[in-house]
Amino acid sequence: MSTSTEKKIQTKIQKKCSYRGYRIKLDALNEILSFVTRFPDPDEDEVIEIVLDQLEHESLKSTIIDKEPVHRVLSRLLEAEAAVPDDSDCAAASALRVLDAFLVPKYKYDSIRKQFYEYTGSLPIHGEASAKAALYRDRFLLLSQRLSRDPNFSKPAFESKVSHFGSCEISPIQSLVGRTGIRWVMGVISQLEDGHFYLEDLTASPYKITTGFFSENTIVVAEGEMLVEGIFQVLTCGFPPLEDRDKSLKILEGHDFFGCGHFTKEETIRLADMEKNAVNDMFVILSDIWLDNEEALEKLGTVLDGFESVEVVPSLFVFMGNFSSRPCNLSFHSYSNLRMQFGKLGEMIAAHPRLKEQSKFLFIPGPNDAGPSTVLPRCALPKYLTEELQKHIPNALFSSNPCRIKFYNQEIVFFRQDMLYRMRRSCLMPPSKEETDDDFQHLVATITHQSHLCPLPLTVQPIIWNYDHCLYLYPTPHTIVLGDRSPQKAFKYTGITCFNTGSFSNDSTFVAYRPCLQEVELSAL
C-alpha cells in the first residue's frame, strides 16, 4: 500500500476518533492502521467504526486512546475472524439463537453524560442492600431518558402561545414546593406507609396520590396541581409514552441490549433477505404441559402426530412449564417420578422421526417447577430432571425464564408467569374502560410502557436485584410471548406482536406462530 493511501487512512481514523470525543496516540493509530489495511478499500470506514465501537466498551481511563486497549480489541477481532465458519454454517447459526436471561448484558444510564455504558462489574445472586435501591433507580432512569426525547414532554426552544405541549415539561417533585398552577411530574408509586401511597422520583417523595390507576412500583407521568395543604392533586395519570423501536436503536447504536451480538450493516441486510425467504418457518408454543397427567400427555401426542404429517414441520417447539400439576416445593417428593416422566416425553418426541430430525425443542420452566427458588429470573430446569429426555432428544434446549430468541433479525421474548391474575390483584384501582375493557390489552400496555416484563411489587414477585435488567423490554422487541393461565389472546400494540398461549393442560390451547409474517394462529384441540 502506498504512503499516500496510509496517510489518508490515518487521517480518516483520527477524524472518526475526534468525532467521538477522543484523541489517539501514534502507536495506537499505527495498530489500527495495520488492522484496517487487511481489508479491501470499500470496507475501510466500516472496519474503523467496528474498532471504535469495540473500544467504547473498554472502559477507557481518559479521552486519549493508547496502544493497550487497542491491542486488546484487535486481538479479539482477529480471534473472531479466525473462528468464522463458512456461509452455510453462518446461515444456520444465524437463523435461531437462544439466549439465557443470565447472559443478558447489563447497561446503566449515566444521567450526567446522557448515555448508556455497559456494566462490567460482578453480579452476585445475593446482592447488597444498595443493589435493591439501584434496581428502582435504574428502572426510573431508563424511562426518564426515553421520556426526555418525547416531543410532547420536551421544553420548547421558543415559547409559543399556540403550542398545547409547552406546559407538559416534566418538573422534579422537589421543585413543586411553593409553586402553583398545573404541572407534570414523573415518579414511582411507592407505599412508604401502610395504606398510604406516594409519588416518588429521585429528588423527593412528599405528595400523596389522591387518584391512581396502576400497582405499586409502576412508573407514571401525572398532571396535577399543588394544593395549599401540600398535597399534589392528580388530575390525569398515565404511563410514560412508548418510543419507536428504530428510534431507540439509533440512540443506542453500538450497544447490544438484547444480548445476541452485534451485526454489521451487510450482515443485517443479509439476514433480512434470509428472513423474507423463511415463510415456512413456524414456532409451536405450549404452556402448562403436565407430565404427570395422562390426559395432558395424550393431547400432546395428538399435537405431535398432527405436525408430524404436515408438509413442512415446525422449526421450533417451545414447551413452557409448569411440567407438573403440583408445585415442586418442599412438600413435593416425586422428583424421581418427574425425571422418568421427562424420559417418557423424550420417547414420545423420538417416535416422530421428522420432528426429531428437523425441529428444535426448547424447554422453559414455569413458576411452580423445580428450581432453587421462585424469584425471577428463573434458571433452566435442573439437569437431574432432563437427563432421561436428552438421551432421546440430544439437541433439546433448556433455557431460563424469561428467555430470549433471535430469529434472523427478529427479537422475541418468552415469559412464563401468571401475570394477568397477579396484576389485577395488585392494582390500586380498577383499570379504566374508556379505551378498552380487555384485561389482556391492559396487561400488554403495562409491560410495554414500563419496559419491564414484571412491574409488580417485589413483595408480590421477588426479583434478583442484580438481574432485574434481564426483564427489560427496551428497546421494544418484535414479539412478546406470554405463558399465562388466562384464556389465550393475541394483540398487536404499537407494532409489537403480543400473545398469550393459554394453558394447554387446562384448556387444550396452544399457538402456532409464523415469525416471518408475525402471524399468530390461536389453536386448540
Side-chain angles (χ1 to χ4, degrees):
M1 183 176 288
S2 65
T3 306
S4 60
T5 305
E6 289 185 354
K7 287 284 187 185
K8 181 181 175 183
I9 296 174
Q10 283 181 332
T11 305
K12 192 178 291 186
I13 295 170
Q14 289 173 321
K15 282 184 178 180
K16 288 183 180 291
C17 285
S18 65
Y19 290 156
R20 297 181 182 228
Y22 296 113
R23 287 184 295 161
I24 187 166
K25 289 186 177 180
L26 182 60
D27 52 358
L29 179 63
N30 290 332
E31 282 263 338
I32 298 177
L33 176 64
S34 62
F35 180 77
V36 171
T37 53
R38 292 167 50 89
F39 300 90
D41 291 350
D43 294 335
E44 281 175 11
D45 289 329
E46 186 180 329
V47 173
I48 296 170
E49 292 290 348
I50 290 172
V51 174
L52 295 181
D53 285 343
Q54 294 298 317
L55 274 172
E56 289 191 344
H57 297 178
E58 282 293 304
S59 301
L60 300 173
K61 296 177 182 178
S62 71
T63 57
I64 301 175
I65 302 174
D66 55 26
K67 184 177 179 179
E68 185 180 345
V70 170
H71 183 73
R72 286 198 303 269
V73 164
L74 297 184
S75 298
R76 286 203 304 268
L77 291 174
L78 288 171
E79 288 173 9
E81 183 190 9
V84 171
D86 59 41
D87 288 343
S88 60
D89 290 340
C90 274
S94 300
L96 189 70
R97 295 182 296 281
V98 179
L99 183 71
D100 191 280
F102 290 93
L103 300 178
V104 174
K106 183 172 186 175
Y107 288 89
K108 296 178 77 72
Y109 185 70
D110 186 333
S111 56
I112 304 300
R113 300 179 68 183
K114 307 292 184 187
Q115 64 183 30
F116 284 93
Y117 66 93
E118 186 171 2
Y119 179 77
T120 56
S122 62
L123 293 173
I125 296 294
H126 302 288
E128 298 178 354
S130 59
K132 184 178 181 181
L135 177 152
Y136 295 113
R137 183 173 63 249
D138 290 344
R139 285 191 198 178
F140 184 86
L141 289 174
L142 180 76
L143 298 189
S144 178
Q145 60 86 30
R146 192 183 77 188
L147 183 70
S148 67
R149 292 190 293 274
D150 190 285
N152 295 341
F153 292 93
S154 302
K155 185 176 181 179
F158 301 97
E159 294 293 339
S160 173
K161 294 181 180 179
V162 297
S163 172
H164 169 69
F165 299 117
S167 60
C168 294
E169 181 190 354
I170 298 296
S171 303
I173 290 177
Q174 198 174 43
S175 71
L176 298 179
V177 177
R179 298 179 69 179
T180 58
I182 301 298
R183 304 288 175 185
W184 287 83
V185 297
M186 176 180 176
V188 184
I189 300 176
S190 304
Q191 189 174 186
L192 303 182
E193 304 170 17
D194 287 344
H196 295 280
F197 292 90
Y198 294 79
L199 197 62
E200 181 179 13
D201 67 1
L202 299 182
T203 62
S205 56
Y207 307 113
K208 289 185 180 180
I209 295 178
T210 53
T211 59
F213 179 75
F214 306 117
S215 68
E216 182 185 350
N217 287 6
T218 51
I219 298 172
V220 298
V221 176
E223 178 191 23
E225 186 174 9
M226 196 69 176
L227 302 180
V228 178
E229 298 86 356
I231 295 177
F232 184 72
Q233 184 176 30
V234 176
L235 304 176
T236 59
C237 186
F239 290 127
L242 270 176
E243 183 174 72
D244 183 69
R245 172 182 167 81
D246 291 335
K247 185 176 181 180
S248 298
L249 290 174
K250 188 175 181 181
I251 297 294
L252 304 172
E253 191 173 1
H255 294 316
D256 176 29
F257 270 67
F258 198 74
C260 280
H262 293 282
F263 294 100
T264 63
K265 290 180 181 178
E266 285 75 12
E267 287 173 328
T268 303
I269 293 170
R270 182 173 63 86
L271 289 173
D273 292 336
M274 293 166 63
E275 184 182 320
K276 290 177 184 177
N277 297 325
V279 291
N280 291 324
D281 277 78
M282 181 169 66
F283 298 170
V284 177
I285 307 149
L286 305 92
S287 178
D288 272 349
I289 303 172
W290 296 343
L291 302 181
D292 58 348
N293 184 298
E294 288 297 328
E295 184 183 353
L297 283 178
E298 287 177 9
K299 291 191 293 187
L300 180 59
T302 303
V303 172
L304 295 177
D305 290 340
F307 285 110
E308 172 75 10
S309 60
V310 297
E311 184 179 352
V312 180
V313 299
S315 54
L316 177 68
F317 282 86
V318 181
F319 294 153
M320 294 194 283
N322 300 311
F323 293 102
S324 174
S325 59
R326 294 187 296 121
C328 296
N329 50 29
L330 292 175
S331 64
F332 185 83
H333 301 293
S334 305
Y335 290 104
S336 58
N337 287 336
L338 188 56
R339 171 188 168 98
M340 186 174 62
Q341 287 153 2
F342 268 105
K344 287 182 179 179
L345 175 59
E347 291 177 9
M348 181 186 295
I349 296 172
H352 300 82
R354 292 183 67 216
L355 297 182
K356 180 182 177 181
E357 292 175 12
Q358 301 176 36
S359 302
K360 292 184 179 180
F361 294 86
L362 172 63
F363 293 82
I364 298 172
N368 292 331
D369 280 322
S373 70
T374 59
V375 300
L376 292 174
R378 289 181 64 98
C379 57
L381 290 166
K383 191 175 181 181
Y384 169 77
L385 294 178
T386 61
E387 280 178 331
E388 293 297 320
L389 184 146
Q390 286 184 292
K391 290 178 182 178
H392 302 284
I393 313 294
N395 60 346
L397 304 170
F398 300 91
S399 191
S400 61
N401 181 29
C403 169
R404 300 183 178 197
I405 284 183
K406 188 131 186 179
F407 178 76
Y408 295 110
N409 281 328
Q410 278 198 49
E411 296 178 357
I412 306 171
V413 176
F414 292 83
F415 186 43
R416 173 63 185 95
Q417 187 63 265
D418 298 321
M419 284 294 296
L420 190 55
Y421 169 76
R422 304 178 94 179
M423 285 295 294
R424 284 189 298 204
R425 285 200 55 144
S426 301
C427 267
L428 302 178
M429 294 181 64
S432 169
K433 295 185 178 181
E434 287 186 14
E435 295 184 7
T436 177
D437 58 359
D438 189 326
D439 287 338
F440 181 71
Q441 294 185 19
H442 282 291
L443 173 62
V444 171
T446 302
I447 64 175
T448 51
H449 282 269
Q450 294 294 308
S451 290
H452 199 281
L453 278 170
C454 190
L456 288 167
L458 296 185
T459 52
V460 176
Q461 175 54 64
I463 293 174
I464 302 174
W465 300 338
N466 281 321
Y467 287 87
D468 184 61
H469 66 282
C470 302
L471 282 78
Y472 284 1
L473 295 173
Y474 182 79
T476 52
H478 297 89
T479 305
I480 302 171
V481 182
L482 299 176
D484 199 294
R485 285 184 303 176
S486 59
Q488 64 176 186
K489 285 282 181 72
F491 178 47
K492 192 141 189 171
Y493 184 65
T494 63
I496 309 165
T497 303
C498 308
F499 60 88
N500 168 37
T501 60
S503 175
F504 181 73
S505 293
N506 281 320
D507 308 325
S508 305
T509 56
F510 62 96
V511 169
Y513 177 59
R514 296 188 182 276
C516 178
L517 305 172
Q518 294 191 19
E519 286 183 353
V520 181
E521 184 180 327
L522 301 179
S523 309
L525 291 179

